Amino acid sequence: MSKELDFLSRHVASGRLSRRDFLGRAAALGISATFANGLLTSAARAQTPQKGGALRMGLVGGESTNSLDPATILTQVPQNFSSTWGELLVIQSPEDGSPQPVLAESWDSSPDASEWSFKIRKGVTFHNGKDMTPEDVAQTIRRHADENTKSAALGVLGDIEDIKVDGDNVVFKLARGNADLPLLLTDYHLIIQPNGGFDDPAAGIGTGPYKVEVDEPGVRHMSTKYDGYWRDDVGHVDSVEIIVMNDNTARMAALQSGQVHIINRVEPKTVALLARASGVKIESTPSKGHYVFLMHCNTAPFDNADLRMALKLAIDREQMVQQILQGHASVGNDFPINKSYALFPEGIEQRAYDPEKAQFHYKKSGHSGPLVLQTSDVAFPGAVDASQLFQQQAKRAGIDIQVQREPGDGYWTEVWNKQPFCASYWGGRATQDSMYSTAYIEGADWNDTRFFDKGFDKIILEARAELDQTKRAALYRDAATKVRDDGGLILPMFNDFIDARREEVQGWVSDPNHETSNLKAAIRVWLQA
Amino acid sequence: MGGATVLKLIAQRIALGVLLLLAVSVLIFAGTQILPGDVAQSILGQAATPQALENLRRELGLNDPAYIRYFRWLFGILQGDLGTALSNNRDIASALSGRLANTLFLAACAAVVSVPLAILLGLLAVRYRNGIIDKAISGFALASTSLPEFFIGYLLILVFAVKLQWFPASSTVYDSMGFLQRLQAVVLPASALTLVVLAHMMRMTRAAVLNVMQSAYIETAELKGLGPLKIIRRHAFPNAIAPIINVVMLNLAFLVVGVVVVEVIFVYPGMGQYLVDHVSKRDVPVVQAVGLIFAAVYITLNMVADIAAILANPRLRHPK
């Protein structure tokens, strides 16, 4: 009963339940109005950020080879740490994926979306005391967009032809119109640095709420509050310490014993056990990442549309979600976009498990004999189990899948994007356009389903430059339908990010854009005394 | 005369050790040369243009013949210069020294507990051989060795960190930590390592001493009326010390170079984790440096074992 009240009072505090409803529900549970009112007050207090305290996080994904240079960041520890000391121009909204201002105050584009002007915020200082200027912004983007750069953000900035400073603005000229430029600038590599980081890329000097104190790659990182920080709604704790814990059990033990406040990547297999520990809360957040089975549309026998459709109908997505990820996932619909993206195409019919229809298409395809599905533990967590489950599900439709387990070493070079039928995963992208452009149009870097469709490519290019949101949504709907019905993608599930925190950690924002609250957990949360 | 022979023997051992280390350095260098691609290619990665490769090769002196590069590398090491890591441009020697110190600290803690304990338990087992104490000691030691080290580690974490909360679950240590804090941090990993190496040393002590106990002079000592503990201490143990030292040194070497798993479980920033990180990035200079240090540790400890065995064994001291 007290758990229920606790839950309800938090709902009131977050605005999901009215005060009146709460008192009614409390009365129904036999609680006096005075006591119920008292509960409300304490819940409201819990919602007001408290300042101070030392936050400690135990995260997987740190190596002794890590550097503070934002261009080289790839794994979770440097990703999260960089969010404490550095800031981007734009950030994606946790609610609807739209671009929100950070170091850029506002932006505007030409009607064809090929020229963009970003107004840069004034009164922001770097940790070395210097003012952050539009010139620093321009230099930063120049460094990442240079074709000789090692920056992992080069791919998203490839279309930028020219960058210039115009008063308080930075103006980008693009080779082709792109309505998504603000969202592309949310890439976590694009931290604004003094003179763009040309002088000392790994100096660790940014405009973030915390300044770098300790940098021991692969061991621990620490940053402490920067006094000159420009805003008040993030950066509540006094210091942030990130301890590299690459071992799953070590992370869970550290959280249970209270040595750390937040951990990332809880294994789906053990999440139910961890949830039972006292003082621990699981944060399971729907993400854009997805686990897939890939068929090459141009390789026999998968060049047959009926065979592809048969396999898509022969997979039980619900069972996959329950058995492989213990419910910490949502079902997919054979196109790589879900509700976490802006302009998600609503109302496309959910494809369901239908062995009879699958059998119909399978017979129509004229194929016989076993289909070899290559899989590996590295394809995604539980991939081997998922492949075997798929094998059993397809058997009911009379389709013979032969699961072939491959070694993890070399899977990404020898099997994925080479073999015609294999298991794999995709992380999300900032926009629908970047997801489709990375893997579904002709000439994409990783068209791993060999989906070559001129009509589809035209839709994507048209949508890219379209500023009218209604027209754009309609185009993305067509694109999704094409991939879903004609493509080589079998997408059983979108995985959740599973993080966990101590109960005293408050203010956690559920954010589908990246794990650990879009890498911003450290600056968003506070510690309840 | 006897003293001079011993000195000569020891000098021979040391010379052999140095020679062996040189041979290993050649092997390590040759091994990393066989790998496809060179350092310039790994630095530039996919962005490598022929011109950029050429420039970088010239800058790094990669166009020189292999033997010249080997000697340059070797002389650098002799002067304490291990080169620069490719992945983050940090000086290897300074990054490594902290890691090496951590590994040696953990190994020392484990050794200080495990070596005396193992020998003591071994001697006790001999004193009460085939009795209940002997069986209990052997059973415990064998059980702890049969359990994989990660299992022992997790068990210790569960009991002492999560349930009892006596010690921290993760053993991250850093420069600003005091000695006592460090000790507290390594209690669990050092205990895990102790349990792993205990049985090997204990069993060897027991076997070696028991072997000597069969000798005629032990029987004489017994007939003289000496107590069993005194016999073991005065007569049996000194004559069994050579094999015991050997196995102790082997285990010490393991404590330094073989503890990757324990380091990972306890999040301890030692050499093993450092090596694994750089191997996966193909950071050749670091791999060479760490490989050489591991080889040096092994060779040195074995050399010490040899010398100790010479000093302890009259037959080796006075060769016929």
Side-chain angles (χ1 to χ4, degrees):
Chain A
M1 188 172 77
S2 71
K3 261 203 168 150
E4 187 166 350
L5 268 180
D6 185 38
F7 172 78
L8 290 175
S9 60
R10 271 184 285 122
H11 260 62
V12 181
S14 59
R16 276 173 289 189
L17 189 72
S18 79
R19 186 180 183 83
R20 209 187 157 94
D21 282 345
F22 172 77
L23 292 178
R25 298 272 269 281
L29 289 165
I31 306 288
S32 79
T34 332
F35 182 62
N37 258 320
L39 274 178
L40 269 190
T41 324
S42 65
R45 201 182 304 129
Q47 292 294 317
T48 324
Q50 287 194 358
K51 299 287 174 184
L55 180 76
R56 289 183 305 276
M57 304 170 77
L59 306 180
V60 62
E63 300 85 24
S64 36
T65 48
N66 293 151
S67 152
L68 282 179
D69 178 359
T72 65
I73 293 175
L74 276 177
T75 47
Q76 294 81 25
V77 169
Q79 280 172 351
N80 277 282
F81 188 57
S82 70
S83 290
T84 70
W85 62 263
E87 285 182 311
L88 310 168
L89 288 177
V90 185
I91 187 176
Q92 250 183 310
S93 149
E95 283 91 27
D96 59 6
S98 63
Q100 303 290 325
V102 185
L103 291 182
E105 238 171 30
S106 59
W107 46 86
D108 209 0
S109 83
S110 62
D112 65 348
S114 71
E115 196 174 300
W116 285 84
S117 173
F118 287 77
K119 185 162 191 272
I120 305 304
R121 195 176 293 280
K122 281 187 162 171
V124 176
T125 54
F126 286 115
H127 300 157
N128 61 9
K130 295 209 175 100
D131 280 332
M132 191 262 314
T133 65
E135 186 56 36
D136 294 317
V137 173
Q139 284 290 79
T140 299
I141 307 299
R142 275 184 201 126
R143 185 165 85 90
H144 290 274
D146 183 83
E147 55 186 79
N148 293 322
T149 184
K150 274 190 268 176
S151 172
L154 175 62
V156 304
L157 299 177
D159 277 349
I160 296 183
E161 266 187 342
D162 184 49
I163 305 165
K164 61 173 192 285
V165 176
D166 175 19
D168 292 341
N169 298 291
V170 175
V171 180
F172 300 93
K173 239 191 153 113
L174 308 182
R176 303 171 275 191
N178 191 335
D180 284 330
L181 186 68
L183 285 177
L184 295 182
L185 295 176
T186 63
D187 187 292
Y188 63 79
H189 298 96
L190 302 178
I191 287 173
I192 306 304
Q193 293 177 278
N195 192 28
F198 275 105
D199 310 327
D200 186 0
I205 291 184
T207 63
Y210 299 92
K211 53 184 197 294
V212 176
E213 201 73 35
V214 177
D215 177 42
E216 289 182 47
V219 182
R220 64 177 201 131
H221 304 269
M222 196 167 103
S223 51
T224 51
K225 186 84 205 204
Y226 170 53
D227 292 331
Y229 187 57
W230 58 278
R231 61 176 168 162
D232 203 33
D233 57 338
V234 293
H236 304 299
V237 296
D238 287 337
S239 66
V240 178
E241 182 178 2
I242 298 179
I243 304 166
V244 180
M245 296 190 174
N246 289 328
D247 185 69
N248 292 327
T249 315
R251 277 199 307 289
M252 283 174 48
L255 183 75
Q256 279 174 274
S257 64
Q259 206 182 346
V260 297
H261 298 106
I262 295 173
I263 61 171
N264 64 345
R265 302 247 168 145
V266 180
E267 280 183 299
K269 274 182 203 160
T270 45
V271 65
L273 297 173
L274 186 62
R276 270 191 280 164
S278 69
V280 170
K281 278 263 181 292
I282 305 290
E283 290 291 350
S284 193
T285 313
S287 83
K288 296 171 175 174
H290 41 283
Y291 298 166
V292 294
F293 298 104
L294 304 167
M295 305 175 282
H296 283 182
C297 299
N298 65 351
T299 311
F302 305 100
D303 53 350
N304 183 307
D306 277 301
L307 183 71
R308 294 202 298 272
M309 185 53 77
L311 285 165
K312 288 178 192 176
L313 288 165
I315 191 162
D316 186 342
R317 294 170 176 74
E318 291 289 346
Q319 198 183 15
M320 286 273 170
V321 167
Q322 291 312 323
Q323 295 203 355
I324 305 301
L325 290 179
Q326 324 295 321
H328 291 278
S330 47
V331 292
N333 200 10
D334 297 339
F335 62 96
I337 304 299
N338 66 357
K339 284 202 174 92
S340 304
Y341 282 90
L343 301 180
F344 168 74
E346 295 277 356
I348 297 181
E349 190 199 344
Q350 173 62 48
R351 183 163 286 143
Y353 180 48
D354 191 338
E356 277 165 37
K357 228 166 132 192
Q359 195 161 24
F360 166 78
H361 283 284
Y362 184 64
K363 282 195 176 135
K364 208 174 143 202
S365 78
H367 179 80
S368 65
L371 298 163
V372 175
L373 170 61
Q374 282 164 296
T375 187
S376 167
D377 281 327
V378 300
F380 56 83
V384 175
D385 295 340
S387 304
Q388 281 161 350
L389 190 59
F390 186 18
Q391 178 184 38
Q392 286 168 19
Q393 293 164 350
K395 200 182 264 172
R396 283 188 53 201
I399 303 174
D400 182 12
I401 291 178
Q402 206 178 315
V403 175
Q404 188 173 318
R405 192 174 176 164
E406 303 286 346
D409 202 23
Y411 189 77
W412 301 112
T413 49
E414 304 301 324
V415 178
W416 173 72
N417 215 5
K418 289 238 163 68
Q419 301 297 329
F421 191 27
C422 72
S424 179
Y425 80 96
W426 271 102
R429 291 293 185 271
T431 64
Q432 297 201 35
D433 179 60
S434 39
M435 188 68 239
Y436 286 127
S437 317
T438 310
Y440 297 91
I441 61 173
E442 192 164 356
D445 291 341
W446 297 296
N447 191 332
D448 57 8
T449 52
R450 305 290 187 269
F451 180 61
F452 304 123
D453 184 320
K454 295 261 182 289
F456 174 81
D457 296 357
K458 218 178 122 233
I459 296 175
I460 296 301
L461 291 180
E462 207 180 321
R464 186 181 293 166
E466 182 60 66
L467 285 166
D468 181 329
Q469 296 296 312
T470 326
K471 279 188 199 157
R472 220 171 170 221
L475 287 168
Y476 280 132
R477 198 189 155 80
D478 293 346
T481 315
K482 262 188 182 306
V483 170
R484 175 181 180 272
D485 296 339
D486 306 334
L489 179 74
I490 303 172
L491 200 166
M493 52 200 166
F494 286 87
N495 56 298
D496 287 359
F497 299 128
I498 313 177
D499 306 304
R501 60 175 171 92
R502 301 286 307 173
E503 263 169 356
E504 61 263 34
V505 174
Q506 300 283 319
W508 183 279
V509 180
S510 186
D511 193 325
N513 294 304
H514 222 296
E515 59 190 289
T516 44
S517 192
N518 197 14
L519 312 175
K520 303 287 181 293
I523 66 168
R524 283 174 171 169
V525 302
W526 63 88
L527 294 170
Q528 189 77 25
Chain B
M1 187 62 201
T5 324
V6 170
L7 277 184
K8 198 174 147 211
L9 268 174
I10 292 174
Q12 269 175 357
R13 290 287 153 181
I14 293 176
L16 257 177
V18 172
L19 214 62
L20 201 56
L21 199 56
L22 272 176
V24 168
S25 77
V26 173
L27 271 182
I28 290 175
F29 188 81
T32 50
Q33 296 302 308
I34 297 170
L35 292 175
D38 64 6
V39 175
Q41 246 160 359
S42 359
I43 292 179
L44 291 173
Q46 282 177 312
T49 61
Q51 185 57 44
L53 270 179
E54 184 51 39
N55 292 345
L56 193 62
R57 283 201 181 117
R58 198 171 328 117
E59 196 183 313
L60 296 173
L62 291 177
N63 290 327
D64 298 333
Y67 69 92
I68 291 188
R69 277 181 286 134
Y70 168 72
F71 282 114
R72 202 184 293 136
W73 177 65
L74 192 67
F75 285 123
I77 290 171
L78 291 178
Q79 291 161 9
D81 174 18
L82 294 175
T84 315
L86 302 181
S87 43
N88 56 3
N89 282 326
R90 292 191 177 215
D91 181 46
I92 297 176
S94 62
L96 247 179
S97 59
R99 295 292 187 129
L100 183 61
N102 285 348
T103 292
L104 292 179
F105 180 69
L106 178 58
C109 290
V112 163
V113 178
S114 62
V115 173
L117 188 66
I119 291 175
L120 190 73
L121 288 177
L123 294 180
L124 274 178
V126 171
R127 166 69 184 82
Y128 303 103
R129 59 184 165 279
N130 299 329
I132 191 137
I133 294 182
D134 180 19
K135 294 218 165 99
I137 291 174
S138 292
F140 168 73
L142 286 179
S144 75
T145 299
S146 325
L147 291 174
E149 56 209 90
F150 64 85
F151 184 75
I152 295 179
Y154 288 150
L155 218 57
L156 291 175
I157 290 178
L158 177 68
V159 176
F160 295 104
V162 176
K163 297 285 179 218
L164 299 173
Q165 307 219 347
W166 290 353
F167 302 106
S170 75
S171 310
T172 313
V173 293
Y174 38 88
D175 289 344
S176 53
M177 254 183 172
F179 181 72
L180 283 177
Q181 262 181 307
R182 249 171 216 265
L183 266 188
Q184 202 200 6
V186 302
V187 166
L188 291 185
S191 314
L193 285 174
T194 300
L195 288 172
V196 170
V197 297
L198 194 62
H200 194 195
M201 291 190 284
M202 191 286 278
R203 296 288 294 180
M204 188 47 102
T205 307
R206 182 178 178 275
V209 176
L210 268 185
N211 199 22
V212 174
M213 296 291 272
Q214 317 287 336
S215 316
Y217 59 85
I218 298 291
E219 209 172 334
T220 313
E222 266 171 29
L223 292 175
K224 267 197 314 196
L226 286 181
L229 272 180
K230 199 164 188 188
I231 292 177
I232 293 173
R233 190 165 51 82
R234 290 278 301 275
H235 297 284
F237 184 63
N239 283 302
I241 198 133
I244 296 176
I245 290 178
N246 259 321
V247 77
V248 165
M249 288 303 161
L250 264 183
N251 278 291
L252 289 187
F254 169 81
L255 286 179
V256 177
V257 308
V259 296
V260 182
V261 176
V262 169
E263 281 179 9
V264 171
I265 290 174
F266 288 97
V267 198
Y268 188 77
M271 294 267 284
Q273 188 59 54
Y274 185 75
L275 176 62
V276 169
D277 283 350
H278 286 84
V279 166
S280 59
K281 289 270 163 68
R282 300 191 193 270
D283 198 332
V284 172
V286 177
V287 176
Q288 284 174 333
V290 176
L292 199 62
I293 289 175
F294 279 175
V297 167
Y298 240 106
I299 290 173
T300 310
L301 286 174
N302 274 303
M303 201 169 71
V304 170
D306 278 353
I307 291 172
I310 291 171
L311 292 178
N313 189 334
R315 269 165 300 186
L316 282 175
R317 247 183 303 167
H318 308 289
K320 280 179 187 155

